[in-house]
Amino acid sequence: MQLISHFERSARRFPDRIAFVQPDGTEISYRAASKTVDAIARTLDGSGLAADAKVAILSPNDASGFLAMLGTIRSGRAWVSLNPRNTIEDNIALAEMARASALFFHSQFESEAAEIQARFPVALSVCIDRDSSSGTDLRVLCDASEGVVRELSEDAGRICTIFATGGTTGRSKGAVWTNRVWETLIANYWTCAPRTEHPVHLCVAPMTHGAGALALMLLPKAPTNVLMTKADPREILTAIERHRVTHMFLPPTVLYALLSSPYLKDFDTSSLMFFLISAAPVAPDKLREAVEAFGPVMCQSFGQAEAPFFLTYLSPEDHVLALNSEAHVKLLQSCGRPTMFSEVEIMDEEGHILSTGETGEIVTRGSLVMEGYFEDPEGTRLVSEFGWHHTGDIGLKDAEGYVYIVDRKRDMIITGGFNVFSTEVESAILSHPAILDCAVVGVPDEKWGEAVKAVVELKEGAAATADELIGHCKAVLGSVKAPKTVEIWPTLPRSPVGKILKRNVRDSFWTGRQRSV
């Protein structure tokens, strides 16, 4: 089934249901949304663009950006997601890499749109919310569009999306998602998620990434998407209570901010049914806090741009089991079990599937995996050795099939001949009550080759010393794994989607050296 078919069916079934609540409170029904989506598709068909053209979209969390994306997919063309939090250089590189021939942009990014076009001219430039010197007003184009929207053939291999990879380790690649990938993602989601006839989705993380993907996964049930433009804890809690939000995705960094908010107990969050944490491992102590704060609705999934979101799933029931059973407490460190339509294994360097409890690279195969990196056959080949997609994550699988991420392959610290997995140290540090977030890296050391170093960000108003944090880690982990040094930074560097840029942290300690290990 085509991705856009889910939207069209929901619009037919629930034309008067609210599809979007804008940040300013404006509401847009499915009837109105469907009319705009069709008009955008007709506009693209009449523009002279190739039937398989790539359309870049630069927008904050705004319904007009969402409708431009749906209209692009309805026309049979591919959506290229430019992240408004990226640097202009990164967005230009992504548009150029994907060979975008059209640009839809919000007026908030008018100057960025002008710079993109100066550096990488496109055949069609459209401002999605008003007239602009850098593009034609989308409303004018939609009003002028006529005729019937071109019917799309059923094509599981048609490209719907070119998604930028994480970018925490270098220049992003373009992961190609087809209708087949989206179909598998939606199927995996609905085998895991709670059933509800009217999801209310709080879209607070960028729609260009996880929150946008969740909105599309919810399409079969005609969700109401409540859009927010910033991740302010008090505003998030206010929106949950006001709109009776049922579904929400947040990265761990925003969850931590919510848990440390002084307003947490002031709002009714009982409407939540599905509170998904993804994008990075979560400290077990924080999960315990989250379940206590929000109830048995916390869940986690593991995926990446190359195999999105639901490779594995740790359910609310798993979280409750872990909290109520000493024998299962380790589940709080797991990212769950493979989902119904995903095959996930642990592999060694020679391509052998490893046994229960053995540590190696997490690999996957199946129709959730991308078609490949856009126009990058060599990059695609390198991540597809032995017939499996290589995630770059180190992990293991236990006897019950739960997968545990031990580290990123490149984040392992080898100190004095011992392997130290940075996420284990980070988990220990995050259990300290003063810590908001942290990054643990290997730094050069004359004695050990590499030494374990922690760079931490404190909660607002909290205090802690380096010696105190080192002592805390020694008590939890022992002296080998405990950081030798700790630095307290005002803020940690983060990617546009909120991931800590561990490479930036690490590189700051290796500058001027010929080797980085």
Side-chain angles (χ1 to χ4, degrees):
M1 188 170 179
Q2 297 181 97
L3 171 59
I4 196 63
S5 299
H6 293 292
F7 170 76
E8 293 180 319
R9 185 164 62 181
S10 286
R12 288 194 299 270
R13 291 183 63 198
F14 303 103
D16 296 320
R17 179 175 290 179
I18 301 303
F20 299 100
V21 179
Q22 289 278 59
D24 66 0
T26 302
E27 297 180 342
I28 300 171
S29 70
Y30 269 89
R31 177 182 284 107
S34 180
K35 181 179 178 181
T36 301
V37 167
D38 284 354
I40 292 170
R42 287 194 300 268
T43 295
L44 288 170
D45 282 343
S47 67
L49 295 178
D52 61 351
K54 313 303 182 290
V55 179
I57 300 175
L58 180 58
S59 173
N61 283 1
D62 188 276
S64 55
F66 226 108
L67 295 172
M69 176 262 290
L70 288 168
T72 296
I73 296 171
R74 174 63 187 88
S75 77
R77 296 169 178 86
W79 162 43
V80 180
S81 60
L82 304 185
N83 193 327
R85 300 182 188 179
N86 277 352
T87 65
I88 186 66
E89 295 296 331
D90 284 342
N91 277 333
I92 290 171
L94 180 56
E96 187 171 13
M97 176 275 297
R99 301 187 184 277
S101 53
L103 172 66
F104 284 71
F105 66 92
H106 191 278
S107 60
Q108 180 179 329
F109 302 104
E110 187 170 31
S111 60
E112 289 88 341
E115 188 168 350
I116 290 172
Q117 293 175 72
R119 301 266 298 280
F120 179 70
V122 293
L124 177 66
S125 179
V126 180
C127 184
I128 57 180
D129 62 317
R130 64 168 173 79
D131 191 26
S132 166
S133 58
S134 297
T136 307
D137 189 336
L138 177 61
R139 294 167 297 183
V140 173
L141 292 175
C142 288
D143 289 344
S145 67
E146 296 180 346
V148 178
V149 183
R150 174 173 62 97
E151 285 297 319
L152 297 177
S153 60
E154 286 291 334
D155 183 0
R158 180 185 296 113
I159 299 174
C160 294
T161 314
I162 297 179
F163 244 106
T165 58
T168 60
T169 57
R171 181 57 57 84
S172 293
K173 295 181 173 65
V176 174
W177 296 13
T178 60
N179 272 312
R180 183 182 295 108
V181 172
W182 276 107
E183 183 177 46
T184 308
L185 177 57
I186 291 171
N188 270 343
Y189 169 78
W190 283 106
T191 62
C192 300
R195 299 293 188 268
T196 177
E197 290 306 311
H198 184 188
V200 179
H201 170 221
L202 185 61
C203 186
V204 57
M207 58 168 267
T208 50
H209 288 73
L214 179 55
L216 293 172
M217 286 184 264
L218 287 167
L219 276 179
K221 291 292 185 178
T224 293
N225 296 284
V226 179
L227 305 177
M228 294 183 64
T229 55
K230 61 180 181 178
D232 178 83
R234 188 175 187 178
E235 291 185 17
I236 291 171
L237 294 166
T238 299
I240 293 171
E241 179 177 282
R242 178 180 298 155
H243 298 284
R244 306 303 296 159
V245 169
T246 60
H247 289 63
M248 180 168 65
F249 154 75
L250 292 178
T253 49
V254 182
L255 171 65
Y256 299 165
L258 274 183
L259 292 175
S260 64
S261 170
Y263 305 106
L264 181 60
K265 297 181 184 294
D266 296 343
F267 292 89
D268 178 8
T269 61
S270 62
S271 60
L272 285 171
M273 300 172 61
F274 183 83
F275 191 157
L276 178 65
I277 303 298
S278 189
V282 186
D285 285 359
K286 301 296 185 183
L287 283 175
R288 187 180 298 273
E289 283 185 53
V291 173
E292 290 172 355
F294 299 105
V297 298
M298 304 305 302
C299 49
Q300 295 181 73
S301 67
F302 164 61
Q304 53 186 202
E306 296 90 337
F309 246 130
F310 278 88
L311 283 174
T312 66
Y313 181 64
L314 192 71
S315 70
E317 293 76 16
D318 290 325
H319 285 79
V320 171
L321 177 63
L323 292 173
N324 293 329
S325 167
E326 191 64 32
H328 293 88
V329 68
K330 192 178 179 183
L331 288 181
L332 293 179
Q333 301 174 39
S334 172
C335 60
R337 287 188 275 204
T339 48
M340 184 173 291
F341 301 103
S342 299
E343 193 173 356
V344 179
E345 296 291 353
I346 311 298
M347 182 177 285
D348 67 14
E349 295 286 347
E350 287 73 44
H352 303 117
I353 301 300
L354 297 176
S355 301
T356 296
E358 293 188 288
T359 299
E361 185 170 7
I362 301 172
V363 295
T364 184
R365 63 184 178 187
S367 53
L368 186 63
V369 177
M370 65 173 181
E371 291 296 296
Y373 295 123
F374 184 72
E375 295 190 351
D376 185 0
E378 179 61 14
T380 302
R381 183 190 68 78
L382 289 174
V383 297
S384 307
E385 287 188 312
F386 312 114
W388 293 75
H389 170 71
H390 293 249
T391 66
D393 286 302
I394 301 296
L396 58 87
K397 190 188 287 189
D398 71 13
E400 294 181 285
Y402 288 94
V403 176
Y404 295 79
I405 300 173
V406 179
D407 211 340
R408 287 295 296 172
K409 195 172 183 178
R410 50 190 158 267
D411 285 345
M412 184 186 294
I413 302 165
I414 303 176
T415 178
F418 291 95
N419 291 344
V420 175
F421 296 116
S422 62
T423 50
E424 186 177 7
V425 186
E426 287 163 355
S427 180
I429 293 172
L430 286 166
S431 68
H432 190 283
I435 301 302
L436 178 64
D437 219 337
C438 69
V440 171
V441 298
V443 298
D445 186 273
E446 292 300 324
K447 181 178 180 180
W448 304 106
E450 283 186 286
V452 179
K453 186 178 194 71
V455 180
V456 304
E457 181 178 340
L458 300 179
K459 293 178 180 176
E460 186 175 355
T465 66
D467 287 344
E468 177 186 349
L469 295 172
I470 292 170
H472 173 77
C473 290
K474 283 183 177 179
V476 175
L477 300 171
S479 59
V480 172
K481 295 180 179 179
K484 296 290 188 291
T485 55
V486 172
E487 289 189 15
I488 299 172
W489 290 8
T491 57
L492 289 165
R494 290 183 173 86
S495 75
V497 295
K499 291 185 181 181
I500 293 175
L501 293 170
K502 194 179 287 188
R503 179 181 178 181
N504 291 19
V505 175
R506 191 176 190 275
D507 285 353
S508 70
F509 299 105
W510 291 88
T511 301
R513 293 177 174 262
Q514 291 183 326
R515 299 180 63 191
S516 297
V517 293

